[in-house]
Structure formats: C-alpha cells, structure tokens
Amino acid sequence: ISADGRIIDVLELEINEATLTGESEPIKKVTGVLSEEIGLADRTNMAYAGTNVVNGRGKMVVTATGSRTEIGQIARLVQETGETHTPLERELGKLSHALGVVVIVLSLILIAVGLLRSNLYTPLDIFQTAVAVAVAAIPEGLAISLTVILAVGMQFILKRRALVRKLLAAETLGSVSVICTDKTGTLTEGIMSVVRIVTATGELNRSELAQMHTGQDLQKQDALLALRIGALCNNVTLRKSTDEHGARYAGDTTEVALAEAAHSAGFEKEVLDHETARLFEVPFDSRRKFMATLHQVDHKTVVYIKGAFDILFERTTHFEKNGEQLKLTNVDKDWFVEQEKSLTSQGLRVLALCHKPLPHSQTSIQETDIIDLTLVGLIALSDPIRSDVLETIKRAQGAGIRVVMITGDGRDTASAIGRELGFSGDVLTGAEIQAMDDAALAQSIKHVNIFARVSPEDKIRLVEAYRASGEVVSMTGDGVNDGPALKAADIGVAMGSGTDIAKETADIVLLDDRFSTIVAAVEEGRAIYQNIQKVLIYLLSFSLSEVVLITASIAAGAPLSLLASQILWLNLAQDSLPAIALAFDKGDGENMLEPPRVKGSPILDASMRLMIFSLITITSVLLLILFFSFYHLTQDIDLTRTMTFTALGVSSLVAIFSVRSRRRPLWKSHLFDNKYLLASVLFGIVMLVSAVYLPPLQLLLRTQALGWMHWAIILGFSALNIILIEVVKKSLPLSSSASRVARLS
C-alpha cells in the first residue's frame, strides 16, 4: 500500500501491519466508524503506506501521502531524535582532560625544580626530561589498545551471532541495565504454531505433539483425527524449499501451523490431498467464521470443518472419544466450554475441528449442511516462546538487568505471554501512556514490565523515561515503527530479519533474532569493559611510576634515575603490545553475577584508583630503594640507571599477569590462555635484553651489560613487586558495583 487512506469498501480484506505496529497477526479491515481516541494498531478502518495486503480486496480514500503518512512521520521522528554519547565516550573524555591537567602540572613542577638545581642539571637535560615524563605520563598506547579491544570484542560478539555496527557500542553493551525487547520473533519464534490439542481423552502439549505418530495409540487417536482434519480442511501449498523458519508450507499463518503440526504427526498434506479427494469447499469468511471441505474417505462422503469454537459448538450434537461418536450431554458441553475458556485466557487462539458424514451421493455442501456436527477436539495456536528464553531472562535478571516486553499486541495477549515468561505486575497500554505526564510515567515504569499496543512515540517516551531514571537502555525492534526508539536508546538492537530502516538505525543487528543473543552480547560487552579496565590499570600504574621515580630523584638532588631515551624505550617495550594483547582476554565467568555499573560512574572507580595508587606506590618505592642503594654502593650512574631501567621493564611485564584478574590471585589465573599476551611479553623481554647488550643500543640508551648477579637482583625485585601487588589486590574491594543492592527484576 503506497498511501494512508480510509477504507470505504471491503471484502475479506486483511493487511499485515507488523512493520508499522508490531502486531504479529494480519488485521481484518472494516468500514465502520471508530472512536477518535483509538490507537494506531486498533484503527481497523484505515490502511497505511508500507503495509502489505495478504487477503481479500478493498477500496480506500487517500488521506495522506509522502511525509504526511504514518510511516513518513516515523521517518521524521528518526531525523529529530539525536544521537547519544556512549558512557565510554563520556568517561574517556573526562579521563583525558584529567590526565592532560596532571601532565602539564607535573612538567611545570619538574622544570621549576630542575631550574632551582641548575648546578646539577643543564637546562637541556631538564627540558628533555620534562618532555619524556610528559610522554611517559600520557599512556599513548591507550587509544590503540582501546580500539583493538573494541574491534576484537566486536569479533567475539559476532561469534555469538550479533553484528556490531558502531565500534563504541560494543563496550556500551556491558553497561546495559534495562532491555526493552519486542515480543514477536525475539521472545517468540515469530511464527504461528499448534501448542495444545484438547480432546475428550485429554490434552497434549507442544512437546507431546512433537512425539506423536500415526500408530494405534487410542489415547492419541482423537488428536490424530483432529490433525488430519486440520490438514485436509486447509488451502496451504507446498514450498519448493523451506523458509528461514523451516516452514514447508506457504499460505495463511493459521493454516500453515495446522499443516506443520499434521506433518510432525506423520501426515503429509500433499499425500492426504491425493488420497482423499476434495469434492467441494465452503471457504472461510469473517461472517460465518468457519471453513468446510467435502471429501471421499474410504468410500464414504464426509465433511471436515474448522472454525471459531463459539460458532461451531452451537451446531454440535456429538463428540469424538476413542474413535466413537457420543452424544453431547450438558456435562460434556460445560467441560468443553471450560476448556475453551482456559485456553483463551492464556492468550491462545482456539479453533474447533469437527466432522459430519453425508450421503454418498452428495457432491456439494451449503452452509445449511453444517449442522449436527461431531466435535473432534480443540486446537490452540500461538506464536510460541523460544525454548531458551525463560532461562535467558533468569540469567539476565541474575546479572541485575531488567527485562521489559514491548509489543504491538493487545493487552490480553501481552498479559498471557508475560505470565508465561514470568513477568509480574500490570500491563500498560499505549493509550494509557499517552494519558500520563512524564512524572506519572516515571513512577509507572518502576513496577510495569509489559507494555502493549504501543506507538513509535510511546516507545521513545519509554526510552527517555528509563534513561532519565539513570538506566542504560537497550531497545530491540525490527519494524519501521521501531526506528526512532532504536536511535534514542543507548543501544539499539535490530533483528536481522527486520526492515532496512531498523537495521540502519540500530547499533547492533542480531543475525538470529534471538533474545539469548542479546544477553550473550551483553556478556561480551562486560568482558570488553573489563579488558579496558585492565589496560587502564596497567598503563597508568607503570607510566606514573616512571614519573614518580624521576621526580623523586630530582627532588632528592640525585642524578636522573632514568634518561629521556630510556623512558621512551620502556614505552615501546611495555606499553604497546602487552596492552593491546589484553584485548584477547576472555571475560570472567562472574561478570554475569554482578549488577551493571551505575550510569555516570567514572571509568576509574574507587577500587581501581586504590589499586593504581597501590601499584604506583609499591613499584616506585622499591625502584627508589634499588636506585639509591645501588648508586651509593657503586657510584656508577650508568650501571645504576641500567639496573633501574631493566628492573622497571621486567617488573611491569611480569606484573601484567597479576593485573589480568582482580578476582583471582596470580597462581589461580589462566596464565597461558592468551597466546598474544605471552608473545608480547616475550617481545618486551627481548627489547630490554637488546637494550642492555647490543652495542648500538648501549650507545643510544647509555646502558651497560649486566652480569648474572645483577639479573638475580632484578628478578628478586620483580618477584617481591608481584608478591606485594597480590597482597594489596587481595585486600582491596573488587568494585563499587559489587556492593550495590540488586535492582528489582
């Protein structure tokens, strides 16, 4: 349909409006007058641009074209919705500003102290040292390391069947505290399916249906007859190949579900159609609400009927039980009515399946022939919940993530699905959201987990309400109507089977449309953030240790503990490759046992600041002791600098294994599961050894060859450094988020 319009003439017109409203079932259109306050999804006398006719025909008067249509207004909402900065962007900006101020202040202090001691240092030495300290203090490898961490994290997420379209979104996943998920195709399988069959002999659920066969089991005989009727009183066609859902048949979604259920029980529709000739058909229409087909079965003429329970039950006089036709009593009638009410109260669509023998000579049927029917059973259909969804929701809630279902379905269907998913609380509809001001909505979202019949504007308001309350919001969607909300959310997640608009607007695209993939991506996002924290701790701790070491030697009036060239060489050996290699670390299994970090919390939380301060203190104090004591004993400044230079390099390269995990001690960590880290540490050691023993580098860096005793001291120093770091690591709290009260699920 290429324009919006008011329907003025209709004949069995059904329109699929899923891309616009999220409603999973085609909408049957009417010509009547509706209330002005009615929501978009309930305007059954309107047709909209961008939707598809699936049945019937009709006539409409065009009411809007182009940008004035509902889909055009959604495009305008997408344009007007601003991009949001990720938490990592904001926190790195703050960190960069703070580091810049610290570097400038330290450089000025060094220059001032050096000039006051002009008898010990030349102005050139002071200037070179100040520049080298500035280079050391700024972890120039941080930008490269973060880029690699995010890029590698995107690869890990892709292996979990999610495609990250924006680099920084990979990290933001780890911050998600609310997942607003669509129902159809994400929580559910996105296709209609037979989930229950109720006959006089009992009830079969979905798992039992999958195990049915065409044997002689009397308890299943009635159910098999019901499936046979559903397959024969059916107009689906066989596909040349199965679709993305594995469906073998094409046609009306309800009839496809019946044919697929019959196939699982051993009935091939094409074989049944060949063996059981159809003589006549009364097609389904919305007035009579049933379909009937006439067949020759074993030299008998029989009519098979499927349709609405309330319509067919009025025409029923008998029921089938273990292959026998029994008279319906009042008790039997009450029982079947209660079964139908029970199924519909669960949000299931219920069909009655009946049959009736006719004279052998009869070759056609009329509506008046559909009386005195025998009820075989009730078939309940729904878009079933994916098998892994319940477990995944529990896992998300265990990680402190609140899961919210937003659907275009009506209140009753949404409520029934919500109960099946374990959601508690009320259902809030789009009309009710529109009647609320922002303050009332902010209060309502605290206890409502199900939203039904929502419009694109409602979704944006929900996203903004959650973000205003301090949540990091992930919004999923697949239709055109989801575009504005996907853009407004911190993380927009589009379905791979969705519209191009949704995928182009989103930050992440799910290749398999599964809710479990979202949670898996969140887990990888937390691992990415954890790796970023490791890099920050490692780079800042040992870069600032160099600053403290040089500043302390100048303040003490001693020769420079490290030369500018040595500082730059250390940056090459210890800062670049080892930090980048941390990108390939896998996240701790405990990451999904903690709540997400608080929105707006600094990237360097209190625990990290304490750890960085402790590492700087331990490393700097030990190095200063080594420097001053060795210089006092030997009075050889080049040898002392070589010892200090090598000790700092070796200890930092070894300490990276301790920094890898703040949860586990070094001896309980997986030391050899990151081959890139092992290779980078080995490369750093080679760089240090080359600086000590290769003559050209000795000349450039003013180093001296070390003996085995010197190396013993350096290794002892590194071991002591690691022991003290492990002691401090054990005594520090893991993070501020670990002590937070778990949020309501």
Side-chain angles (χ1 to χ4, degrees):
I1 299 177
S2 55
D4 289 3
R6 178 82 64 202
I7 296 173
I8 59 173
D9 187 24
V10 65
L11 177 62
E12 299 301 320
L13 179 62
E14 294 183 3
I15 299 178
N16 186 333
E17 298 178 346
T19 58
L20 187 65
T21 66
E23 174 66 62
S24 56
E25 281 290 297
I27 306 300
K28 187 171 289 294
K29 295 299 181 177
V30 299
T31 58
V33 178
L34 303 175
S35 169
E36 292 183 4
E37 273 72 31
I38 202 163
L40 180 69
D42 294 317
R43 297 173 193 167
T44 53
N45 60 357
M46 289 288 293
Y48 299 105
T51 61
N52 299 304
V53 175
V54 296
N55 188 47
R57 56 190 175 86
K59 222 181 253 188
M60 75 180 192
V61 175
V62 172
T63 58
T65 59
S67 61
R68 296 176 181 271
T69 62
E70 292 293 337
I71 199 170
Q73 293 183 42
I74 291 172
R76 177 180 54 79
L77 278 176
V78 173
Q79 290 179 339
E80 294 176 353
T81 304
E83 295 279 358
T84 58
H85 290 292
T86 68
L88 183 62
E89 286 179 296
R90 293 190 290 267
E91 295 309 317
L92 285 179
K94 295 176 184 177
L95 178 62
S96 300
H97 178 75
L99 279 176
V101 172
V102 169
V103 168
I104 292 173
V105 171
L106 285 175
S107 299
L108 292 176
I109 291 174
L110 276 177
I111 292 173
V113 173
L115 292 176
L116 290 175
R117 297 183 179 277
S118 57
N119 59 319
L120 296 174
Y121 316 108
T122 66
L124 181 59
D125 288 338
I126 291 298
F127 177 76
Q128 289 178 336
T129 303
V131 171
V133 166
V135 172
I138 296 176
E140 64 277 359
L142 180 60
I144 299 173
S145 300
L146 291 183
T147 303
V148 173
I149 287 173
L150 293 172
V152 172
M154 290 171 63
Q155 292 294 320
F156 287 156
I157 293 173
L158 184 60
K159 291 179 180 178
R160 308 290 288 269
R161 305 294 296 161
L163 175 66
V164 180
R165 297 184 64 251
K166 300 177 182 177
L167 191 64
L168 286 169
E171 177 277 330
T172 309
L173 276 166
S175 309
V176 167
S177 56
V178 173
I179 297 177
C180 297
T181 178
D182 193 15
K183 174 186 73 71
T184 305
T186 307
L187 297 176
T188 65
E189 293 184 353
I191 54 173
M192 291 299 289
S193 176
V194 174
V195 293
R196 308 265 182 84
I197 296 182
V198 176
T199 65
T201 54
E203 177 180 320
L204 296 175
N205 58 33
R206 191 185 184 198
S207 61
E208 291 169 325
L209 288 174
Q211 300 172 5
M212 288 181 66
H213 56 84
T214 55
Q216 300 300 318
D217 188 345
L218 291 179
Q219 291 185 337
K220 296 180 179 179
Q221 185 173 346
D222 298 336
L224 289 170
L225 177 57
L227 289 175
R228 180 184 175 91
I229 294 173
L232 285 168
C233 187
N234 194 316
N235 285 327
V236 297
T237 57
L238 185 68
R239 293 179 181 271
K240 292 183 179 179
S241 60
T242 57
D243 68 359
E244 65 272 15
H245 298 293
R248 299 171 184 82
Y249 302 99
D252 177 79
T253 55
T254 298
E255 292 193 333
V256 168
L258 292 173
E260 292 285 353
H263 175 85
S264 68
F267 293 118
E268 299 289 347
K269 175 170 172 52
E270 54 275 21
V271 175
L272 288 178
D273 288 339
H274 178 72
E275 295 177 347
T276 311
R278 181 185 296 187
L279 304 177
F280 197 84
E281 173 186 340
V282 176
F284 177 88
D285 72 29
S286 57
R287 179 182 58 83
R288 49 179 173 258
K289 293 185 178 181
F290 66 81
M291 174 184 177
T293 54
L294 186 65
H295 299 267
Q296 284 285 351
V297 181
D298 297 331
H299 306 292
K300 298 178 182 178
T301 302
V302 62
V303 60
Y304 290 149
I305 312 101
K306 76 172 190 297
F309 174 81
D310 55 339
I311 299 298
L312 294 184
F313 200 59
E314 293 177 352
R315 304 167 182 242
T316 299
T317 57
H318 294 74
F319 69 98
E320 192 90 14
K321 186 172 184 180
N322 293 329
E324 296 183 28
Q325 297 177 22
L326 305 177
K327 184 74 174 177
L328 264 175
T329 65
N330 289 333
V331 173
D332 297 323
K333 288 182 179 180
D334 292 342
W335 185 84
F336 277 109
V337 169
E338 287 300 317
Q339 295 301 309
E340 191 268 344
K341 287 182 179 179
S342 174
L343 294 172
T344 54
S345 68
Q346 300 172 50
L348 302 176
R349 182 179 180 186
V350 180
L351 292 178
L353 293 109
C354 307
H355 68 84
K356 176 187 177 181
L358 291 177
H360 185 68
S361 59
Q362 189 164 343
T363 58
S364 65
I365 49 175
Q366 304 296 324
E367 185 175 344
T368 53
D369 293 319
I370 311 302
I371 57 173
D372 299 329
L373 305 179
T374 298
L375 178 64
V376 177
L378 309 179
I379 286 187
L381 304 98
S382 76
D383 184 0
I385 292 174
R386 291 184 183 271
S387 58
D388 57 350
V389 162
L390 290 175
E391 181 181 348
T392 305
I393 289 177
K394 291 179 181 177
R395 189 161 183 257
Q397 292 172 341
I401 301 170
R402 183 177 177 186
V403 181
V404 174
M405 185 178 76
I406 300 178
T407 177
D409 290 332
R411 180 193 291 271
D412 293 340
T413 301
S415 178
I417 295 294
R419 287 196 302 270
E420 195 171 347
L421 292 170
F423 292 148
S424 59
D426 299 329
V427 177
L428 202 61
T429 65
E432 293 166 339
I433 292 173
Q434 293 166 16
M436 294 180 178
D437 58 22
D438 291 343
L441 183 60
Q443 289 297 318
S444 296
I445 62 174
K446 292 180 180 179
H447 57 83
V448 175
N449 295 321
I450 306 171
F451 299 91
R453 278 288 191 263
V454 291
S455 68
E457 293 84 359
D458 299 332
K459 291 183 179 182
I460 291 181
R461 285 194 67 197
L462 288 171
V463 169
E464 291 175 345
Y466 280 118
R467 295 188 69 213
S469 64
E471 307 287 0
V472 177
V473 183
S474 168
M475 169 66 75
T476 70
D478 57 0
V480 175
N481 62 321
D482 297 315
L486 292 175
K487 189 175 181 181
D490 295 287
I491 290 289
V493 181
M495 304 297 110
S497 61
T499 61
D500 289 340
I501 290 178
K503 287 185 279 191
E504 289 173 8
T505 307
D507 303 294
I508 292 172
V509 178
L510 301 184
L511 302 182
D512 58 5
D513 293 3
R514 290 179 174 271
F515 178 75
S516 57
T517 304
I518 303 175
V519 178
V522 169
E523 182 178 7
E524 293 294 344
R526 292 191 176 188
I528 290 171
Y529 188 76
Q530 187 180 50
N531 288 341
I532 291 173
Q533 288 182 316
K534 296 175 190 177
V535 169
L536 287 173
I537 292 173
Y538 176 69
L539 291 179
L540 292 178
S541 297
F542 293 100
S543 295
L544 295 177
S545 293
E546 297 169 3
V547 176
V548 172
L549 183 62
I550 294 172
T551 305
S553 63
I554 293 177
L560 291 173
S561 54
L562 290 173
L563 298 177
S565 58
Q566 293 173 343
I567 293 173
L568 296 176
W569 191 262
L570 282 173
N571 283 0
L572 288 175
Q574 72 180 30
D575 282 6
S576 52
L577 290 181
I580 292 173
L582 287 174
F584 296 91
D585 266 2
K586 296 180 180 178
D588 293 345
E590 297 87 347
N591 283 346
M592 293 299 284
L593 300 178
E594 293 181 358
R597 64 185 185 275
V598 179
K599 186 176 183 179
S601 60
I603 193 169
L604 294 177
D605 58 29
S607 174
M608 290 178 64
R609 292 195 295 270
L610 277 173
M611 188 168 184
I612 291 172
F613 176 78
S614 302
L615 292 177
I616 293 172
T617 302
I618 291 170
T619 305
S620 300
V621 168
L622 290 178
L623 282 172
L624 286 171
I625 293 173
L626 176 66
F627 174 77
F628 284 114
S629 60
F630 209 80
Y631 182 62
H632 177 73
L633 290 173
T634 64
Q635 295 298 308
D636 187 339
I637 188 59
D638 286 339
L639 179 60
T640 302
R641 283 176 181 154
T642 303
M643 287 286 293
T644 307
F645 163 80
T646 309
L648 177 57
V650 172
S651 62
S652 63
L653 289 172
V654 174
I656 196 170
F657 293 101
S658 185
V659 170
R660 284 182 68 196
S661 177
R662 289 191 287 158
R663 287 188 174 93
R664 299 182 184 88
L666 180 63
W667 54 89
K668 289 186 178 180
S669 300
H670 304 290
L671 296 178
F672 306 109
D673 63 348
N674 188 338
K675 59 184 179 181
Y676 300 101
L677 182 61
L678 295 174
S680 65
V681 169
L682 180 61
F683 175 79
I685 296 295
V686 171
M687 291 276 287
L688 291 174
V689 172
S690 301
V692 171
Y693 293 107
L694 292 180
L697 292 179
Q698 287 178 335
L699 180 63
L700 176 66
L701 303 175
R702 292 169 61 178
T703 58
Q704 293 185 8
L706 300 176
W708 68 268
M709 184 62 72
H710 299 133
W711 281 107
I713 294 172
I714 291 170
L715 294 176
F717 166 83
S718 300
L720 179 60
N721 193 45
I722 287 292
I723 292 171
L724 293 176
I725 289 174
E726 287 295 325
V727 170
V728 169
K729 189 171 74 172
K730 185 177 181 180
S731 63
L732 291 176
L734 178 60
S735 67
S736 57
S737 65
S739 60
R740 290 173 57 205
V741 178
R743 60 181 74 238
L744 292 176
S745 297

